């Protein structure tokens, strides 16, 4: 079985000798991807001695960190999925006001720096918090698992929402009418028809949320206090004692469940099938729900929406406040922090631009090769392209730090390593966007171009490239946002010269400089959104010209 | 180059995808200037063969020759075998003009000449004034003409067509069919046409190759394929056929006497050798059986068989009856229906022996 597969692969490879340029491209892309994806992972996993891994069970602090990570993942996944379902159902099925606001709220956390909710949470409820100190005159201890739980729910429910909403929106309404017609009550229809049809979406959303919560570094770093998790513990080992072995063990412990979740998600998405798109029933409206249910759900959505808005509002308020908790007067002083850290800000933008562009180009080439060329190892290349998406950011950063600090490629402390790490971290995003785009372009278009006399490269340039502009730009724009707001990947590889905005914010937070941290975050978000909006405008202008 | 050399020769070609064998040991000669149709049900391998000719796939074994030159290993973009795609495959990001001009641009034809040639094509296909449109702004019929124009503009002497009419409505299809045949004869190009529609195949082609399960069952003129099918599959797939089992009672020169259903029929053996006692199957087209009301109370007076009408469907120009005679059920066409309505009850069937075709064997498909 395997040997015949290998033989087939070899036959396909041998056919490539007719197209030497293509063969060279394939060889180059495969080598580069292997080198920057597999090598860092192998380096981390193989670094500790086997007995070091046993410490995971013997060292009680580490064991506790692993348990904490799993526990946090479990409860946050539940709450994220619940809130996501609430929003998805309300937006897709109910006739309620403020839907625009609710959609906006589900988008905000996706495009923000990862620790922003934790930071705002401190500003709202911390010892000097505006709610706790000014309104309630209370003092609660917000550091720990319950604080983190709330923060993770707000941060990651939008990821689950995107998946669940996609499924809910395409559910055929006429099935519910059929059930009503057969005599089912509203509650029975919900339980027997609607929920079972939603299940693929709920599972997919839960998996996405779980992956993100498990791998998250920024929020726990700021809010978890003594509640240690695997990513933060790995960082402590590295920054505190420079203990590479321990950091590797902890990161590997994080990698395994992350991989499992990731591939469960891939398989699950592949099977999600009973959503039938016939385009016939689109005009049917959902069967109305009783008004007390409708307004009850609306109230819940509004509450969450207001909370998210408060998170961002307080941040911008904090940016212009003299001393949080003591002196609420207006100041521009905090912006000076930002000005003083101009290099970091400049680095953030620069690295994000380079890495997102590189990721978009590489992602498109990979998607083209995997989908359109029979090269004998398409599945392997596909796997390589999506693998970084399964690797927690902390792990990837550690991998780059360990793999490229010596020959054959010593990049430690350079801008190159920052750009490369971000590029490969964003590769799956761009690759998936291009892949999805390619899937919508029928292969007969390329056949037609070949048939009219254009070779592989001309066909790619004349036919595919113009049609892939949309996916290319959207991948680029998401990769840019992710890069600007990334903390976990670069925490192990930045140096004094190559530090970026998110690192500065973390330092400001750890020093209790709330004003400066808020101001810096506000500026970073503004820049990221401006660039995002610009690419959206370009894409839209392009669309308009086309039609 | 001899006149007898086929324009395209398919020589013992086999192609499989993984464990699925798409075509097996296919041989076919396509004469220069002919209109050849590859006909068969879906999944029979006809499109695979077309893609092999165009060079999108390479055969596992065997070879394809164009003008006597071996095509194996020559990439699609060097073959000069323009293809009209089933779903047209018009480039959505190019205008109609750019779509048609694309092939010429790749050949580095001077701009003025491109303009002239594309203009000619637009005029020929009745697309004047639509050059600046995007493909999606055109109707299905117009898109299809653009696809033809794009394939023909480079002036190659081969035209491949993969079910190009299947996305048109029924009336349009018949119209385009005639235009297409006229165009092919005027330009003198060698056309290879893939379809699963037997009417299209019969009306358009000089030659038809009937495919089933990756093999060619029969290749011949429409006449041969319809009236002298080589086997039961061809007889059944092209047109409708009644299969009547029988036995050879006597061989008299080129003629056979076949006994079936208690009657004897004198039929042409078609040059093939039969011997007495062979199990055979008679293939009779519905229009080769005439139907009339039972003449009198005594059925034995007339020739042929008596039967009972079970159902009928009125198709306008004719009526098709299902008639039960003993254990057999026949499809019978009445080509000149009476204005008074369909026949009912007992009828008498008569066969035109000159149009009966004999197959060896029991007629299992």
């Amino acid at each position: 079985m395997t040997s015949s597969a290998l033989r087939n692969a070899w036959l396909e490879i041998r056919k490539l000798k007719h197209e030497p340029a293509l063969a060279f491209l394939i060889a180059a892309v495969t080598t580069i991807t292997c080198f920057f994806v597999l090598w860092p992972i192998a380096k981390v996993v193989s670094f500790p001695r086997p007995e070091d891994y046993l410490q995971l069970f013997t060292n009680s602090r580490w064991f506790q960190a692993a348990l904490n990570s799993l526990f946090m993942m479990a409860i946050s996944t539940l709450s994220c999925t619940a809130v996501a379902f609430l929003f998805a159902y309300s937006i897709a099925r109910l006739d309620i006001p403020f839907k625009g606001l609710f959609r906006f709220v589900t988008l905000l956390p996706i495009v923000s720096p990862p620790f922003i909710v934790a930071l705002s949470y401190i500003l709202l409820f911390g010892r000097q918090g505006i709610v706790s100190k000014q309104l309630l005159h209370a003092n609660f201890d917000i550091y720990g698992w319950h604080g983190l739980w709330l923060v993770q729910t707000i941060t990651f429910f939008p990821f689950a929402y995107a998946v669940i909403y996609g499924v809910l929106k395409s559910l055929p309404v006429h099935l519910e009418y059929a059930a009503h017609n057969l005599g089912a009550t509203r509650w029975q229809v919900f339980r027997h028809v609607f929920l079972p049809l939603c299940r693929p979406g709920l599972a997919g959303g839960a998996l996405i949320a779980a992956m993100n919560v498990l791998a998250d570094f920024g929020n726990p770093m700021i809010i978890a206090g003594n509640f240690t998790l695997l990513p933060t513990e790995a960082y402590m080992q590295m920054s505190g004692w420079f203990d590479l072995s321990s950091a590797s063990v902890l990161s590997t412990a994080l990698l395994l469940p992350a991989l499992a979740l990731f591939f469960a998600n891939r398989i699950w998405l592949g099977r999600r099938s009973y959503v039938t798109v016939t385009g016939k029933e689109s005009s049917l409206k959902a069967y109305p729900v009783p008004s007390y249910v409708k307004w009850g759900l609306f109230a819940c959505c509004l509450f969450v929406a207001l909370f998210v808005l408060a998170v961002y509002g307080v941040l911008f308020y904090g940016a212009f406040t003299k001393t949080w908790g003591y002196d609420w007067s207006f100041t521009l002083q905090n912006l000076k922090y930002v000005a003083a850290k101009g290099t970091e800000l400049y680095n953030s933008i620069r690295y994000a631009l380079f890495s997102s562009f590189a990721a978009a180009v590489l992602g498109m080439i990979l998607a083209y090769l995997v989908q359109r060329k029979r090269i004998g190892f398409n599945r392997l290349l596909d796997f390589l392209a999506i693998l970084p998406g399964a690797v927690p950011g902390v792990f990837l950063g550690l991998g780059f730090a360990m793999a490229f600090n010596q020959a054959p490629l010593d990049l430690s402390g350079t801008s190159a390593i920052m750009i490369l790490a971000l590029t490969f971290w964003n590769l799956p995003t761009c690759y998936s966007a291009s892949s999805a785009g390619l899937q919508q372009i029928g292969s007969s278009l390329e056949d037609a171009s070949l048939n009219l006399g254009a070779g592989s490269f001309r066909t790619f340039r004349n036919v595919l490239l113009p049609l892939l502009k949309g996916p290319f730009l959207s991948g680029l724009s998401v990769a840019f946002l992710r890069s600007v707001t990334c903390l976990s990947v670069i925490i192990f590889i930045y140096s004094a010269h190559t530090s970026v905005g998110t690192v500065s914010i973390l330092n400001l937070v750890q020093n209790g400089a709330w004003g400066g941290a808020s101001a810096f975050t506000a500026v970073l978000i503004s820049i990221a959104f401006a660039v995002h909006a610009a690419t959206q405008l370009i894409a839209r202008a392009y669309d308009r010209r086309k039609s | 180059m001899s006149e007898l050399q086929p324009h395209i020769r398919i020589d013992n070609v086999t192609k499989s995808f993984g464990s699925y064998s798409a075509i097996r040991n296919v041989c076919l000669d396509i004469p220069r200037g002919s209109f050849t149709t590859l006909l068969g049900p879906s999944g029979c391998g006809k499109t695979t063969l077309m893609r092999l000719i165009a060079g999108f796939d390479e055969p596992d074994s065997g070879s394809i020759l164009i003008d006597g030159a071996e095509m194996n290993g020559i990439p699609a973009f060097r073959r000069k075998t323009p293809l009209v795609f089933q779903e047209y495959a018009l480039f959505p990001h190019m205008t109609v003009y750019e779509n048609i001009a694309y092939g010429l641009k790749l050949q580095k034809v001077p701009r003025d000449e491109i303009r002239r040639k594309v203009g000619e094509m637009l005029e020929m296909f009745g697309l004047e004034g639509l050059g600046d449109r995007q493909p999606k702004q055109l109707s299905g019929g117009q898109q299809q003409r653009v696809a033809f124009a794009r394939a023909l503009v480079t002036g190659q002497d081969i035209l491949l067509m993969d079910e190009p009419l299947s996305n048109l409505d029924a009336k349009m299809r018949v119209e385009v069919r005639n235009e297409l045949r006229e165009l092919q004869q005027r330009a003198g190009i060698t056309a290879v046409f893939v379809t699963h529609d037997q009417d299209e195949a019969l009306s358009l082609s000089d030659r038809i190759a009937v495919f089933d399960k990756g093999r060619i069952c029969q290749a011949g003129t429409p006449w041969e394929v319809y009236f002298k099918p080589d086997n039961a599959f061809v007889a059944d797939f092209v047109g409708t056929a009644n299969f009547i089992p029988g036995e050879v009672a006597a061989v008299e020169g080129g003629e056979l006497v076949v006994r079936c259903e208690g009657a004897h029929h004198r039929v042409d053996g078609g040059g093939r050798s039969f011997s007495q006692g062979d199990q055979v199957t008679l293939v009779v087209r519905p229009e080769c059986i005439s139907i009339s009301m039972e003449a009198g109370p005594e059925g034995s007076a007339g020739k042929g068989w008596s039967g009972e009408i079970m159902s009928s469907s009125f198709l306008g120009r004719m009526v098709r009856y299902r008639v039960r005679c003993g254990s057999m059920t026949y499809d019978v066409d009445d080509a000149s229906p009476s204005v008074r309505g369909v026949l009912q009850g007992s009828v008498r069937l008569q066969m035109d022996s000159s149009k009966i075709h004999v197959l060896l064997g029991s007629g299992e498909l």
Side-chain angles (χ1 to χ4, degrees):
Chain A
M1 181 68 207
T2 327
S3 71
S4 81
L6 277 177
R7 203 168 53 85
N8 281 340
W10 176 238
L11 285 177
E12 300 286 4
I13 292 169
R14 276 193 17 198
K15 277 188 199 154
L16 286 172
K17 71 176 179 226
H18 295 299
E19 292 191 82
L22 184 66
F24 177 77
L25 177 73
I26 292 168
V29 167
T30 310
T31 315
I32 290 173
T33 314
C34 279
F35 188 57
F36 287 105
V37 173
L38 290 185
W39 173 237
I41 296 175
K43 193 81 184 171
V44 175
V45 175
S46 66
F47 187 82
R49 288 163 297 159
E51 56 264 38
D52 290 341
Y53 280 108
L54 286 177
Q55 280 196 53
L56 260 183
F57 302 98
T58 54
N59 182 329
S60 67
R61 190 179 156 84
W62 293 6
F63 190 63
Q64 194 57 47
L67 283 186
N68 287 349
S69 268
L70 291 179
F71 171 69
M72 184 46 62
M73 180 186 86
I75 58 173
S76 302
T77 300
L78 274 180
S79 54
C80 282
T81 311
V83 176
F85 182 72
L86 166 73
F87 269 76
Y89 184 79
S90 303
I91 293 177
R93 283 302 176 82
L94 300 184
D95 181 23
I96 47 172
F98 298 144
K99 274 193 188 179
L101 170 74
F102 295 159
R103 282 211 184 89
F104 180 65
V105 158
T106 60
L107 193 72
L108 262 185
I110 290 186
V111 294
S112 305
F115 42 78
I116 182 174
V117 181
L119 175 57
S120 299
Y121 187 64
I122 294 174
L123 296 180
L124 284 169
F125 302 107
R127 217 158 289 144
Q128 313 298 340
I130 195 166
V131 173
S132 46
K133 189 177 174 190
Q134 296 301 119
L135 292 177
L136 304 173
H137 305 290
N139 187 5
F140 1 78
D141 183 15
I142 55 163
Y143 298 91
W145 69 268
H146 41 277
L148 183 60
W149 183 22
L150 182 79
V151 167
Q152 297 296 46
T153 304
I154 295 298
T155 309
F156 293 117
F157 90 86
F159 292 84
Y161 163 82
V163 176
I164 297 173
Y165 178 73
V167 171
L168 279 199
K169 204 180 52 175
S170 54
L171 281 189
V173 177
H174 66 284
L175 292 181
E176 286 156 62
Y177 277 89
H180 280 302
N181 182 253
L182 293 168
T185 62
R186 286 195 181 93
W187 174 241
Q188 284 169 329
V189 168
F190 182 78
R191 258 188 38 222
H192 300 153
V193 180
F194 186 70
L195 264 192
L197 288 174
C198 289
R199 214 176 285 147
L202 287 173
L207 282 168
I208 293 273
M211 274 157 54
N212 279 291
V213 171
L214 183 71
D216 188 42
F217 173 73
N219 284 333
M221 195 63 207
I222 290 175
I223 198 94
N226 291 328
F227 185 75
T228 54
L229 299 163
L230 285 173
T232 46
E233 184 64 21
Y235 173 69
M236 294 301 177
Q237 293 294 336
M238 184 75 175
S239 71
W241 290 275
F242 208 73
D243 184 348
L244 273 179
S245 170
S246 299
S248 300
V249 169
L250 291 162
S251 303
T252 306
L254 188 61
L255 178 69
L256 290 180
L259 279 179
L261 285 173
F262 183 79
F263 288 105
N265 188 41
R266 292 278 293 188
I267 293 166
W268 193 264
L269 284 181
R271 273 205 321 222
R272 193 179 68 186
S273 57
Y274 43 60
V275 174
T276 48
V277 185
T278 57
K280 267 183 193 162
E281 300 83 9
S282 54
S283 59
L284 268 182
K285 277 213 154 190
Y287 199 67
V289 299
S291 64
Y292 62 91
V293 173
K294 179 170 131 183
W295 294 112
L297 294 176
F298 172 73
C300 295
C301 286
L302 197 62
F303 178 74
V304 177
L306 290 178
F307 189 86
V308 174
L309 288 184
V311 161
Y312 285 81
V314 77
L315 198 78
F316 278 81
Y317 185 43
F320 299 102
T321 299
K322 218 163 219 169
T323 312
W324 194 260
Y326 296 101
D327 184 353
W328 300 101
S329 56
F330 176 83
T331 179
L332 290 175
Q333 192 69 23
N334 293 323
L335 289 176
K336 277 200 178 160
Y337 276 113
V338 183
K341 297 278 185 185
T343 324
E344 277 85 342
L345 211 53
Y346 173 62
N347 281 345
S348 278
I349 307 289
R350 203 160 52 114
Y351 296 159
L353 275 179
F354 283 132
S355 62
S356 55
F357 189 73
V361 171
L362 186 59
M364 184 150 78
I365 294 173
L366 277 168
Y368 171 71
L369 291 179
V370 167
Q371 289 208 4
R372 294 298 213 251
K373 295 284 154 194
R374 257 178 286 150
I375 54 176
F377 48 95
N378 301 52
R379 304 268 313 251
L380 175 72
L381 215 50
D382 176 60
F383 175 78
L384 283 179
I386 58 165
L387 185 57
V391 177
V394 176
F395 186 99
L396 193 70
L398 185 64
F400 266 70
M402 290 167 69
F404 305 115
N405 63 354
Q406 63 202 15
L409 195 57
D410 184 3
L411 296 172
S412 41
T414 62
S415 296
I417 196 172
M418 304 283 281
I419 292 172
L420 281 169
L422 289 173
T423 298
F424 284 89
W425 189 54
N426 281 315
L427 181 62
T429 309
C430 296
Y431 170 78
S432 308
S434 283
S435 244
L438 268 177
Q439 261 158 16
Q440 291 185 339
I441 303 172
S443 64
S444 66
L445 282 185
E446 285 156 81
D447 285 346
S449 176
L450 287 175
N451 183 254
L452 291 168
S456 280
F457 283 97
R458 293 194 75 158
T459 296
F460 183 76
R461 206 187 68 202
N462 292 347
V463 177
L464 289 181
L465 212 50
L467 293 172
L468 280 177
K469 258 182 200 156
F472 181 86
L473 269 183
S474 78
L476 184 78
S477 143
V478 173
F480 178 83
L481 281 175
R482 272 166 56 96
S483 299
V484 166
T485 59
C486 174
L487 177 65
S488 56
V489 175
I490 53 176
I491 197 78
F492 287 126
I493 53 176
Y494 77 93
S495 69
H497 308 291
T498 62
S499 182
V500 292
T502 45
V503 175
S504 309
I505 298 174
L506 182 67
N507 290 335
L508 288 169
V509 172
Q510 284 174 329
N511 295 334
W514 310 124
S518 310
F520 211 128
T521 310
V523 170
L524 206 58
I525 296 179
S526 305
I527 292 173
F529 266 91
V531 173
H532 183 68
T535 48
Q536 292 287 312
L537 277 181
I538 294 170
R540 206 166 299 157
Y542 176 72
D543 278 349
R544 197 170 310 134
R545 199 170 49 110
K546 212 166 55 172
S547 59
Chain B
M1 194 190 315
S2 94
E3 271 303 302
L4 292 172
Q5 186 184 40
H7 196 173
I8 303 172
R9 162 166 279 177
I10 315 295
D11 188 12
N12 205 18
V13 165
T14 296
K15 174 73 184 173
S16 42
F17 298 102
S19 59
Y20 171 71
S21 98
I23 55 177
R24 281 170 292 168
N25 304 103
V26 166
C27 295
L28 183 67
D29 281 355
I30 297 172
R32 179 173 297 279
S34 72
F35 197 113
T36 300
T37 298
L38 312 181
L39 174 69
S42 55
C44 70
K46 55 192 194 300
T47 297
T48 302
L49 181 59
M50 169 83 80
R51 291 179 60 85
L52 289 173
I53 297 174
F56 298 137
D57 296 307
E58 284 289 323
D60 297 338
S61 67
S63 50
I64 291 170
L65 295 93
I66 295 181
D67 278 331
E70 170 133 354
M71 286 291 121
N72 295 29
I74 295 189
F77 53 92
R78 294 204 203 293
R79 289 212 181 175
K80 301 189 166 51
T81 48
L83 170 60
V84 179
F85 290 80
Q86 182 175 9
E87 60 278 25
Y88 311 146
L90 300 180
F91 304 121
H93 58 300
M94 299 183 190
T95 63
V96 167
Y97 181 94
E98 287 166 342
N99 263 287
I100 300 175
Y102 184 62
L104 296 171
K105 221 173 85 188
L106 292 170
Q107 292 177 2
K108 301 206 166 56
V109 173
R111 184 176 294 225
D112 289 342
E113 207 180 328
I114 291 183
R115 196 169 304 141
R116 187 176 58 77
K117 284 190 167 170
V118 175
E120 278 173 20
M121 283 292 147
L122 288 173
E123 196 189 322
M124 185 163 134
F125 284 96
L127 296 165
E128 298 105 322
L130 300 179
D132 293 332
R133 300 272 186 95
Q134 299 287 331
K136 66 181 171 214
Q137 295 173 296
L138 302 184
S139 71
Q142 288 168 330
Q143 291 185 18
Q144 194 241 21
R145 285 159 200 243
V146 177
F148 270 104
R150 187 177 71 178
L152 287 170
V153 73
T154 49
Q156 306 298 344
D157 52 3
I158 290 179
L159 181 64
L160 308 178
M161 292 166 275
D162 186 7
E163 309 206 17
L165 309 185
S166 62
N167 287 332
L168 300 178
D169 61 57
K171 206 171 168 67
M172 187 98 155
R173 213 176 304 169
V174 176
E175 279 173 32
V176 175
R177 209 193 268 171
N178 297 334
E179 286 176 32
L180 180 59
R181 179 63 166 153
E182 210 173 284
L183 177 85
Q184 179 263 339
Q185 287 182 329
R186 187 150 32 96
I189 46 184
T190 305
V192 183
F193 187 88
V194 164
T195 186
H196 60 263
D197 182 329
Q198 36 143 331
D199 287 340
E200 254 170 46
L202 292 172
S203 68
L204 277 170
S205 319
D206 296 314
R207 293 174 63 77
I208 299 177
V210 184
F211 276 73
D212 182 39
K213 298 184 185 126
R215 290 174 186 281
I216 293 184
C217 300
Q218 184 175 3
T221 64
W223 224 257
E224 288 165 350
V225 168
Y226 190 76
F227 285 114
K228 307 280 178 204
D230 278 353
N231 55 46
F233 175 80
V234 175
D236 191 53
F237 190 77
V238 182
T240 308
N242 294 297
F243 295 102
I244 310 166
E247 191 185 308
V248 177
V251 183
E252 297 170 3
E255 291 200 323
L256 312 174
V257 177
V258 178
R259 184 177 56 234
C260 57
E261 298 288 305
H264 287 80
H265 298 277
R266 182 171 286 276
V267 298
D268 186 20
R272 288 161 303 168
S273 63
F274 290 92
S275 47
Q276 199 174 339
D278 279 348
Q279 293 296 313
V280 293
T281 303
L282 301 187
V283 178
V284 189
R285 300 292 181 189
E287 69 275 17
C288 303
I289 305 176
S290 60
I291 185 168
S292 56
M293 290 305 289
E294 196 77 76
E298 281 298 309
S300 57
K303 286 174 74 182
W305 311 308
S306 62
E308 197 74 23
I309 291 180
M310 304 178 62
S311 65
S312 62
S313 54
F314 179 54
L315 302 172
R317 60 198 148 88
M318 62 169 213
V319 183
R320 172 158 295 176
Y321 293 99
R322 285 187 77 78
V323 182
R324 159 83 54 92
C325 300
S327 63
M328 293 284 296
T329 306
Y330 297 98
D331 283 329
V332 181
D333 286 352
D334 182 357
S336 52
S338 155
V339 288
R340 287 198 300 276
V342 296
L343 305 176
Q344 277 169 329
S346 300
V347 288
R348 179 147 290 275
L349 303 181
Q350 257 184 297
M351 265 185 239
D352 180 350
S353 316
S354 69
K355 290 179 184 165
I356 296 177
H357 181 65
V358 192
L359 294 175
L360 192 61
S362 59
E364 295 293 318
L365 289 180

